[in-house]
Amino acid sequence: MAAEQELVAEVVPVYASAPAAIRKIELDRPWQWLLKGWQDLRRSPQVGVTYGLLAAITGYALTLGLVWADLLYLVLPLTAGFLIIGPILTVGLYEVSRRAELGQTTTVAQALAAFRRNGSQIALMGVALMLLMFAWARIAALIFFLYFGLQPPSFENLVASTFLQADTLPFLVFGTLVGGGMALLAFSISVVSIPLLLDRPDANVIDAIATSFRAVQTNFAPMLFWAVLIAGFTAAGLATLYLGLIVTLPLIGHATWHAYRDLVSFPADS
């Protein structure tokens, strides 16, 4: 029993970091985050472009895998699932912005190794988002089969059969509501928590998630607007055959760091 308690204490520290205070922000504040994110991207374009290229290449690989497995009808829910798993993939971009505040530059190698600042807790956050991603993939497939049966439309007719048929309206409404709910849950637990875990190596995942929920609850309208902007920029990146992700992914990643810095303060900061 003592050994088990010791293991739990190692994975999720018993002594949490200092409690965070949540600031109130104005509805239009997300535009400032995007502006600061763009400035960070211009300062370290090599890191941002590298992350964007990796995202685009991964998108092509997944699409080719779906084609090979004859599961191409899942490309839409899986690309939508990118909104769920995306925050954990941009830890290195948060590190670029964090170091820029300290007047430091960041190499691609340093960005890729950024998770080591709080490795176990960031890994636990990644597991939570992966579980949400897998749950959404299973639910999306189930919804698809409930409406289309065991004979999904071919790739050539996928868009027409899914979006341009009157009898698919219930499918679109229900699928959008479920997917939106999953994305909002992922957004609420990760929008602040992952930058916080990177910024505060003594922070644990439970406190980070609670802080993220409080930030969204306290500033629901601005954070909902921020979520819509993230979805819009991500959709633009995906709609350009993943090439747009080369710019939109690092832009959103850097901006998310500035969202965290605006929303959360600690006693030591003041």
Side-chain angles (χ1 to χ4, degrees):
M1 177 65 70
E4 291 179 359
Q5 290 176 341
E6 201 172 305
L7 178 60
V8 171
E10 182 179 345
V11 175
V12 180
V14 174
Y15 298 103
S17 58
I22 305 300
R23 299 188 184 98
K24 287 283 291 183
I25 60 171
E26 299 297 327
L27 180 61
D28 61 349
R29 192 61 183 171
W31 294 117
Q32 293 297 317
W33 302 338
L34 285 172
L35 176 59
K36 292 180 179 179
W38 176 250
Q39 291 169 348
D40 286 349
L41 177 57
R42 292 185 62 185
R43 287 192 195 100
S44 300
Q46 72 283 1
V47 178
V49 169
T50 298
Y51 270 77
L53 282 172
L54 288 174
I57 292 170
T58 301
Y60 288 126
L62 287 174
T63 302
L64 290 174
L66 291 174
V67 171
W68 177 80
D70 198 24
L71 297 173
L72 197 57
Y73 57 88
L74 292 178
V75 68
L76 293 178
L78 285 181
T79 52
F82 181 80
L83 290 170
I84 297 176
I85 198 65
I88 201 65
L89 304 177
T90 54
V91 172
L93 297 170
Y94 307 153
E95 178 70 351
V96 171
S97 295
R98 185 189 73 83
R99 290 169 62 90
E101 289 182 353
L102 302 174
Q104 301 171 354
T105 58
T106 307
T107 65
V108 173
Q110 288 171 326
L112 292 173
F115 69 93
R116 294 179 181 174
R117 281 179 53 83
N118 196 352
S120 63
Q121 302 306 299
I122 292 175
L124 285 174
M125 193 68 232
V127 170
L129 292 179
M130 284 294 295
L131 290 175
L132 274 176
M133 172 67 176
F134 290 146
W136 164 240
R138 299 288 291 187
I139 292 171
L142 178 61
I143 294 173
F144 197 92
F145 283 123
L146 284 175
Y147 279 90
F148 292 96
L150 297 178
Q151 296 295 328
S154 63
F155 175 66
E156 293 78 8
N157 298 321
L158 181 62
V159 174
S161 300
T162 305
F163 296 101
L164 303 181
Q165 300 288 338
D167 56 356
T168 61
L169 182 60
F171 162 74
L172 293 174
V173 172
F174 184 62
T176 299
L177 289 175
V178 174
M182 296 286 286
L184 183 60
L185 174 60
F187 173 81
S188 297
I189 69 174
S190 65
V191 64
V192 161
S193 62
I194 302 176
L196 188 154
L197 291 172
L198 176 71
D199 187 38
R200 301 272 170 168
D202 62 332
N204 68 55
V205 69
I206 296 174
D207 284 350
I209 289 176
T211 302
S212 192
F213 265 117
R214 287 196 294 121
V216 173
Q217 183 182 33
T218 303
N219 298 281
F220 186 75
M223 295 308 287
L224 183 60
F225 180 43
W226 179 229
V228 170
L229 286 176
I230 291 175
F233 277 92
T234 303
L238 296 172
T240 54
L241 300 179
Y242 306 114
L243 293 177
L245 291 175
I246 297 173
V247 174
T248 60
L249 178 75
L251 175 62
I252 292 297
H254 291 309
T256 297
W257 170 263
H258 293 288
Y260 156 70
R261 296 292 284 163
D262 253 5
L263 290 164
V264 179
S265 65
F266 293 87
D269 296 339
S270 57

